[in-house]
Amino acid sequence: MAVHPRANRVTTESELFRLLVENIKDYAVFVVDPEGLVRSWNPGAERLLGYSENEIIGQPAALFSIPENLQDGVTQREMSNAVETGRGEDERWHVRKDGSRFWSGGTITPLWDEERNLLGFAKIMRDRTAQKRSDDSLKDALSYAQGVVDTVREPLLVLGADLRVKTANRSFYEVFRVSPVETEGLLIYHLGDRLWDIPRLRTLLEEILPQHTSLDGFE
């Protein structure tokens, strides 16, 4: 008996979704019930969090939260916010089965039935630890640089390669009586009602300085 080619194809949306979730490797995708117990688990979740499906189903998702967040009730607030707004952000530190910590960038979405009964929450997580540490390092470096700039007693501007003001020290704001909003991001020539738009200064910044040092050094 001949079998129609379409007979072996997956035709239901639920089956297609299941296959999609099971084949996502870079994201943890799982469902928790309204009490926070894990009800589904994809290979990406096992890879990220270290628990197999057999050992995590029925267990509380609180296992993934660091103690500080458990004490502060962060998980409960995330779920409450998701119910109120339709979607929540899950951007915080989590813990794997082996005790190692990672920064998750993800979302939490409430799941409703047709009668508007809450069935649970879909959670999507991804390891963004490297990005988080890079961002923190950059913030620390900028904070340190700003501290150095602020210790200079003479008025000081820090320019980017495009000659826009990146920052200025306290002395600059005090002497010229301007605020950061009136200064940062502007071309140097536009400061103080174009007070700095001086031909000799343009020549210095646009022609002479590039011959002796790269303007990239101002970034």
Side-chain angles (χ1 to χ4, degrees), residues 46 53 61 83 88-89 135 157 177:
E46 180 173 349
E53 183 177 16
V83 168
E89 298 296 327
D135 291 344
L157 280 176
R177 298 181 181 181

Side-chain angles (χ1 to χ4, degrees), residues 51-104:
Y51 296 91
S52 68
E53 183 177 16
N54 289 336
E55 61 186 341
I56 199 59
I57 296 297
Q59 297 299 313
L63 288 172
F64 319 139
S65 293
I66 61 176
E68 301 92 306
N69 286 341
L70 287 176
Q71 294 172 3
D72 292 340
V74 173
T75 302
Q76 289 72 19
R77 287 200 299 273
E78 286 177 349
M79 290 193 292
S80 296
N81 290 337
V83 168
E84 293 176 2
T85 64
R87 183 176 181 273
E89 298 296 327
D90 184 6
E91 304 275 346
R92 55 188 173 90
W93 289 105
H94 291 73
V95 61
R96 298 185 177 90
K97 178 183 177 181
D98 63 7
S100 61
R101 295 189 176 194
F102 69 97
W103 181 267
S104 167

Side-chain angles (χ1 to χ4, degrees), residues 138 142 145 158-164 166-167 214-219:
L138 178 59
L142 291 175
V158 177
L159 302 179
D162 57 359
L163 298 181
R164 292 183 180 274
K166 285 189 170 293
T167 189
S214 172
L215 282 175
D216 291 339
F218 284 85
E219 292 188 325

Side-chain angles (χ1 to χ4, degrees), residues 4 74 79 107 152 156 169 179 204 210 212:
H4 193 281
V74 173
M79 290 193 292
T107 61
V152 178
L156 176 67
N169 67 350
S179 68
L204 175 66
H212 298 278

Side-chain angles (χ1 to χ4, degrees), residues 5-195:
R6 293 180 60 86
N8 292 325
R9 295 182 182 179
V10 177
T11 57
T12 66
E13 291 184 4
S14 60
E15 184 66 7
L16 285 171
F17 180 75
R18 182 186 66 80
L19 289 174
L20 172 64
V21 170
E22 288 182 355
N23 283 278
I24 294 176
K25 305 297 183 182
D26 295 331
Y27 291 83
V29 182
F30 58 97
V31 172
V32 299
D33 64 21
E35 286 70 47
L37 302 180
V38 178
R39 294 307 181 190
S40 74
W41 198 246
N42 82 324
E46 180 173 349
R47 178 180 176 183
L48 177 60
L49 292 156
Y51 296 91
S52 68
E53 183 177 16
N54 289 336
E55 61 186 341
I56 199 59
I57 296 297
Q59 297 299 313
L63 288 172
F64 319 139
S65 293
I66 61 176
E68 301 92 306
N69 286 341
L70 287 176
Q71 294 172 3
D72 292 340
V74 173
T75 302
Q76 289 72 19
R77 287 200 299 273
E78 286 177 349
M79 290 193 292
S80 296
N81 290 337
V83 168
E84 293 176 2
T85 64
R87 183 176 181 273
E89 298 296 327
D90 184 6
E91 304 275 346
R92 55 188 173 90
W93 289 105
H94 291 73
V95 61
R96 298 185 177 90
K97 178 183 177 181
D98 63 7
S100 61
R101 295 189 176 194
F102 69 97
W103 181 267
S104 167
T107 61
I108 176 171
T109 305
L111 304 174
W112 310 91
D113 65 13
E114 295 179 354
E115 298 178 353
R116 197 59 182 176
N117 296 310
L118 181 64
L119 301 181
F121 299 88
K123 298 200 68 172
I124 300 176
M125 302 170 66
R126 189 178 189 185
D127 187 354
R128 301 300 300 274
T129 308
Q131 183 64 50
K132 169 65 173 174
R133 288 176 175 163
S134 176
D135 291 344
D136 287 348
S137 295
L138 178 59
K139 289 178 182 177
D140 289 342
L142 291 175
S143 178
Y144 177 79
Q146 185 64 53
V148 172
V149 168
D150 285 339
T151 62
V152 178
R153 295 185 178 181
E154 298 299 324
L156 176 67
L157 280 176
V158 177
L159 302 179
D162 57 359
L163 298 181
R164 292 183 180 274
V165 179
K166 285 189 170 293
T167 189
N169 67 350
R170 292 190 184 94
S171 180
F172 181 90
Y173 294 127
E174 292 171 357
V175 170
F176 292 98
R177 298 181 181 181
V178 292
S179 68
V181 174
E182 300 170 301
T183 306
E184 295 178 4
L186 294 180
L187 280 170
I188 186 172
Y189 309 124
H190 294 172
L191 296 178
D193 293 328
R194 295 185 176 272
L195 179 65

